[in-house]
Amino acid sequence: MPYGHAYSLMCSGPMALYDLINRDPKIPAVAERAVEYEGLVRDGARLRPPAGEAYRSIESPAPVADADVLGVSVTNAGGLHQVLRQLDLAGIPRCTADRVPGRHPLVVGGGPGLTNPEPLADYLDAIALGEAEQSFPELLQVVHTYRLDPGPVPLHQQLARIPGLYVPAVYEHAPAPGGGVTAVRPVAPTVPARVHAPYLSVAELPTAHFCSPVSDGSAAVITPVLGCLHECHFCTLGVPEFRQAPLDLLTGYIDRLEAHGIRQIIVSAPTFTQYRHKRALLDHIRAYADRAAAMGEKVSTIIGSVRADEITADYLTALAELGDFGHLFTELALDRPRGIAPSPPSSPPRTWSPCTARPSSGSGSTRRSTCAAPAEPSAP
């Protein structure tokens, strides 16, 4: 991921996949993580490893470029260009057409920043739309099988059959005079005409989606809610169905943090004020903070962020009782234009996507690089 290790640990999607892949013995893969760690050399807008060294994952000395599958996560559209920088850093060709199967990794993108995947369609082999806890393990299984026995069907066409995966290379665009397209068609009958983004129920999501599976020993992350009850024009949080983590899952996790002496709790939920159990959760954190204070230690809580128009007197009272806390507020100025960070094109831009978002209630092992930090203990 294009972040340092501390921030990468707060990225619930990649960390949940990392935990899922390494925890499930049925998945023929080992997940490793790569971030922008200290020691990388800045060269203008580019990053490169020190002379004579390769960009490596955290868990092994193997270069990232030697992975079978490389997963890249994009938090928002302003970070699209960072995918290209990460590929350059690893020494992997940017364009899908320039990568050689078996020599270069299969590059798979995901995250909210790829809600519209077309700006990076020429650079990614596949994009996992929505939540990837089901589509990504299936992708790993297909890649594993293909490496053992390629068969007559090309790999990209096999991947396109997986629900939730958009594979740009298996669609052809008919350009219109003056710009745009007149039609977008799959190149084979087995390729779907449209790809829908899957959003899973609370029961289908692993606990790591709500509670960080890895901590650096000082802080840990909880995600009480997914989605948002509002549908603002500049934000994609309102696209998936609004879901809330079970209270006992979060309070049990906080109890384990206390047992391990982790004193900073990060509530990573941009719509935390919409969580129906927020007062009970804050009271549980306060009880932990009181016990720590009796031992001469301090528990800090960081909440980021909430909508200012959803703050109530009861909520502010609960916050004040926490003692040491930090808070971020969601910007509500809708009358100002949002910033745009363009991605440098190397081919004519695409103007249409067959993707739509629709809410809905060891040999041959594969390696995937995501995010985290060196020498961090596993969270309980």
Side-chain angles (χ1 to χ4, degrees), residues 63-71 87 90-93 95-96 99-108 123-125 143 147 155-156 367-369:
V64 170
D66 288 350
D68 294 306
V69 178
L70 178 66
L87 292 175
I92 298 170
C95 293
T96 303
R99 294 193 289 268
V100 179
R103 178 182 173 188
H104 299 116
L106 189 81
V107 182
V108 183
Y123 308 101
L124 299 174
D125 292 282
V143 173
R147 293 291 167 86
L155 177 60
H156 285 84
R367 298 171 47 244
R368 171 182 180 266
S369 299

Side-chain angles (χ1 to χ4, degrees), residues 90 132 137 148 175 230 266 274 322 338:
L148 298 177
H230 303 277
I266 301 171
Q274 298 171 13
L322 284 178
R338 314 288 290 185

